[in-house]
Amino acid sequence: MAAAPVTLEVGDVQGLVARGYGTLSAASFLLLGLDDEAAARRWLASVVDAITSGDERPGGRAVNVALTSTGLARLGVADDVLQQFSNEFVHGMTTDHRRRILGDVGDSSPENWDWGGPSTAPVGAALLLYAQDGAELERLLEEHSRLLVAAGVEVQRKLDTSDLDGFEPFGFRDGISQPFVERLSKSGPAGQTVRAGEFVLGYVNEHGHYTDEPLVQDGIGKNGSYLVFRQLEQDVRGFWRFIDSAAPNPAERIRLAAKMVGRWPGGAALALSPDRDDPSLSEANDFGYFHEDPVGVRCPVGAHIRRTNPRDSLDPGPGTDKSLAINRRHRLLRRGREYGQALSADAALTESLAPDEPRGLHFICLNGNIARQFEFVQDTWLNNPKFAGLYDDSDPLVGQSAPYGGTFTMPADGVRSRLTGMPRFVTVRGGAYFFLPGLRALRRLAS
Ligand code: HEM
C-alpha cells in the first residue's frame, strides 16, 4: 500500500541536508572529543540555538553539529537506544569488515590516520562552521572557541578548507551532479529525484519503507541524517605524472584525465560531449548511458562518475525505469570541501624542491542508510575490480592499486586502450561516521 505523503519538517532538519552552502565559501570543521558528559551538554546547550536549519537561507554564516556514536553515548544516550542506530554507525568506520570493503588498507589503513583511527582519541562530534568569507569565518571561529572553552570542551583537531572556485585539487569542476530530494530540494528529472527517506530519517525511502522506525518513534532519529566524513588526500603531482607518462602531448593529457573522471575539467560530461570541453555544458546533468553510450566509447564504463552513479545502465532492464529505480537506492548527497592550495597540471609536472603542503578533499556525504548508500557505492561500484564486466580495474581517481585493481580500460570504436600499473592517487587520512540529528533531538540531548 502506498504510504500517505507526510509533510517534511524542513525547519527541524539541519541546513546541510537541504543545501551545500555554496555561497559560504569559507569553512572549518572542528573535531571534538566530548570526554566529559556534563561539559558536552553545557557546550551543546550553548550552541543549539545557533544551529542552522533547513528552512533558513543563511546569508553570512551557518553552523551545523554532527555526532558520532561515541558522542551520543557521552551525551547520555542509553545503550538500548544507541543500538537502534544502524550497525555501521554504532561500530564505526574502522572495524575489520569495514576497512576491507572501504579499501582502507596499506597507507590508508586506520592505524595511520590523523584522526578517527585506533591510534588517536575517539571523536565525539564535528562542529561544521561555514562563512561568506575568511574574515567572517575567523569571527565565527573565535565565538565558538569561546563557547567551547566556557563549557570545558577541548578541540581535538581543526580541519581547514580552501575555496578552489568549485574545482577539486586534480583540477576538475566538482559538485555538479546531486540527486533531487522530494520536498527538500528544487524539482528535477524523475529519474534523479529520490524520496526524502533516502536522506532524512522518519520518511518513506526508495524501498517504500520508513527509515529506522523504532529510532524515529523514540525521537532521536527523526529528521536526522547519517553523515560520512573521509579526509582524502590527493597526490596531484603523482596523478599528472602518471597521466603524462601515458600521454604524448598536453591535449592528450587532458583527454586521458577526462576519461578517468567522465567529465572534462570544465565540467561537461563525456557522455554529452565526447571530443572536447564545452562550457555551455559545464552544469549539464540530464543524461543516461545505456542508449547513448552502452559500451563506454564516450565515457568509459569504469570512469569515476559512471561508477559512482551508473544512472540507467544497471541490471535488470538497463535503459528502463527499472534500472533507474535501482539506481535511486544508491544516491549520495555530497557536501565535501577541498583543502590545501591549488596546483595546476603544468605546475604539478614541474620539479619542486620544497615539500608539498597536503591537499585533498574533506569528502562528506549524507545518507539515510550508510550500508546501502555510501558503503555500497564505495565497495560494489568504486572499488570493485569486476564492476560492469571489467576485469582488474578500479576507480581511476580514488580506487585501489594492484592487486585490487590498478587498470583503467577505455573502450573505443577501434581497438580499446588500457592503462595499467596505476598507483593510488588518494590516501585516506582520517574519517568517521557521524549522525546529523534534527534540531528537536539536539535540544533534547542538550537538556
Ligand atoms: C579525492 C577523492 C575524489 C575526487 C577528487 C572526486 C572527484 C569528482 C569529480 C571531479 C566529479 C565530477 C563532478 C560532479 O559530477 O559533481 C565527481 C562526481 C561524483 N563523485 Fe567523486 N571524487 C572523489 C571521491 C569520491 C568518493 C569517495 C565517492 C563515493 C564513495 C564519490 C562519489 C561521487 C559521486 C556520486 C559523483 C556524482 C556522479 C554523478 O552523479 O554523475 N567521489 N567526483
Side-chain angles (χ1 to χ4, degrees):
M1 197 178 71
V6 184
T7 312
L8 184 71
E9 296 180 297
V10 186
D12 195 52
V13 172
Q14 290 200 50
L16 194 61
V17 186
R19 53 186 57 83
Y21 302 131
T23 55
L24 305 180
S25 57
S28 261
F29 307 135
L30 302 185
L31 302 178
L32 316 174
L34 304 188
D35 300 332
D36 179 276
E37 182 171 335
R41 281 235 176 82
R42 273 198 300 275
W43 165 70
L44 194 55
S46 72
V47 293
V48 78
D49 288 332
I51 294 175
T52 312
S53 74
D55 60 1
E56 289 173 56
R57 283 196 174 275
R61 47 165 64 184
V63 178
N64 285 138
V65 169
L67 299 163
T68 61
S69 60
T70 306
L72 285 174
R74 288 183 177 165
L75 280 160
V77 173
D79 201 47
D80 60 323
V81 175
L82 209 51
Q83 294 306 325
Q84 295 178 43
F85 283 84
S86 67
N87 179 54
E88 57 277 8
F89 171 72
V90 173
H91 297 287
M93 199 180 263
T94 61
T95 60
D96 285 351
H97 169 64
R98 304 234 120 69
R99 21 175 111 195
R100 219 173 25 250
I101 63 169
L102 299 177
D104 294 342
V105 295
D107 288 348
S108 291
S109 60
E111 279 72 23
N112 301 327
W113 289 4
D114 296 333
W115 61 274
S119 322
T120 52
V123 177
L127 173 61
L128 312 171
L129 302 175
Y130 301 86
Q132 63 193 3
D133 55 33
E136 181 67 2
L137 182 64
E138 279 313 310
R139 281 192 288 275
L140 193 58
L141 276 164
E142 262 171 44
E143 287 169 31
H144 280 274
S145 303
R146 275 202 296 275
L147 294 174
L148 286 159
V149 170
V153 169
E154 229 174 279
V155 176
Q156 287 179 334
R157 207 172 181 85
K158 173 166 169 274
L159 301 173
D160 292 321
T161 72
S162 41
D163 174 17
L164 304 186
D165 246 350
F167 291 79
E168 52 70 40
F170 291 140
F172 286 77
R173 185 184 294 278
D174 201 1
I176 303 166
S177 176
Q178 299 279 16
F180 296 91
V181 187
E182 252 180 28
R183 291 175 284 149
L184 196 65
S185 58
K186 58 182 188 219
S187 54
Q192 296 191 37
T193 304
V194 301
R195 299 174 102 175
E198 288 298 302
F199 298 106
V200 188
L201 269 57
Y203 301 91
V204 173
N205 62 22
E206 284 294 326
H207 284 276
H209 300 144
Y210 283 88
T211 3
D212 293 348
E213 236 169 323
L215 194 62
V216 166
Q217 279 164 4
D218 182 74
I220 293 190
K222 176 87 178 180
N223 294 328
S225 185
Y226 289 106
L227 182 151
V228 174
F229 197 145
R230 313 251 296 161
Q231 182 177 342
L232 304 177
E233 193 165 303
Q234 295 175 240
D235 177 8
V236 176
R237 284 187 195 277
F239 177 77
W240 287 110
R241 278 191 193 130
F242 179 79
I243 290 175
D244 191 52
S245 71
N249 59 53
E252 188 59 19
R253 210 159 68 195
I254 298 296
R255 199 188 70 89
L256 211 53
K259 288 272 184 189
M260 288 160 71
V261 176
R263 288 187 182 269
W264 293 96
L270 268 63
L272 298 173
S273 179
D275 301 320
R276 61 181 183 91
D277 208 342
D278 180 346
S280 72
L281 294 174
S282 65
E283 306 274 313
N285 196 34
D286 190 9
F287 59 89
Y289 295 112
F290 183 75
H291 298 289
E292 298 83 347
D293 187 24
V295 290
V297 172
R298 293 172 162 220
C299 176
V301 173
H304 179 68
I305 70 160
R306 197 159 171 168
R307 278 179 180 265
T308 51
N309 182 9
R311 300 181 185 230
D312 62 347
S313 30
L314 294 170
D315 286 333
T320 68
D321 283 348
K322 250 189 181 158
S323 176
L324 288 170
I326 305 271
N327 193 64
R328 282 196 297 270
R329 296 173 181 173
H330 307 291
R331 299 302 308 273
L332 310 172
L333 266 179
R334 289 176 300 138
R335 297 292 190 236
R337 295 270 170 149
E338 289 74 31
Y339 66 95
Q341 298 305 305
L343 185 71
S344 68
D346 286 337
L349 290 169
T350 312
E351 279 306 324
S352 160
L353 295 176
D356 272 354
E357 290 291 312
R359 49 174 65 84
L361 180 65
H362 288 308
F363 175 87
I364 294 178
C365 75
L366 300 172
N367 20 201
N369 184 320
I370 299 174
R372 174 163 65 75
Q373 291 165 275
F374 166 70
E375 290 184 347
F376 181 93
V377 172
Q378 176 93 8
D379 179 36
T380 313
W381 290 348
L382 202 144
N383 274 336
N384 181 0
K386 301 197 167 45
F387 174 78
L390 294 167
Y391 182 61
D392 59 359
D393 289 37
S394 57
D395 185 288
L397 280 195
V398 237
Q400 304 183 72
S401 47
Y404 309 101
T407 299
F408 178 56
T409 308
M410 288 168 284
D413 281 330
V415 182
R416 72 171 172 210
S417 55
R418 198 165 249 177
L419 298 177
T420 54
M422 290 171 75
R424 195 171 182 178
F425 304 118
V426 164
T427 307
V428 187
R429 294 289 182 214
Y433 289 147
F434 291 88
F435 189 66
L436 201 63
L439 296 182
R440 274 198 305 273
L442 277 176
R443 286 208 174 84
R444 271 183 48 188
L445 288 168
S447 66

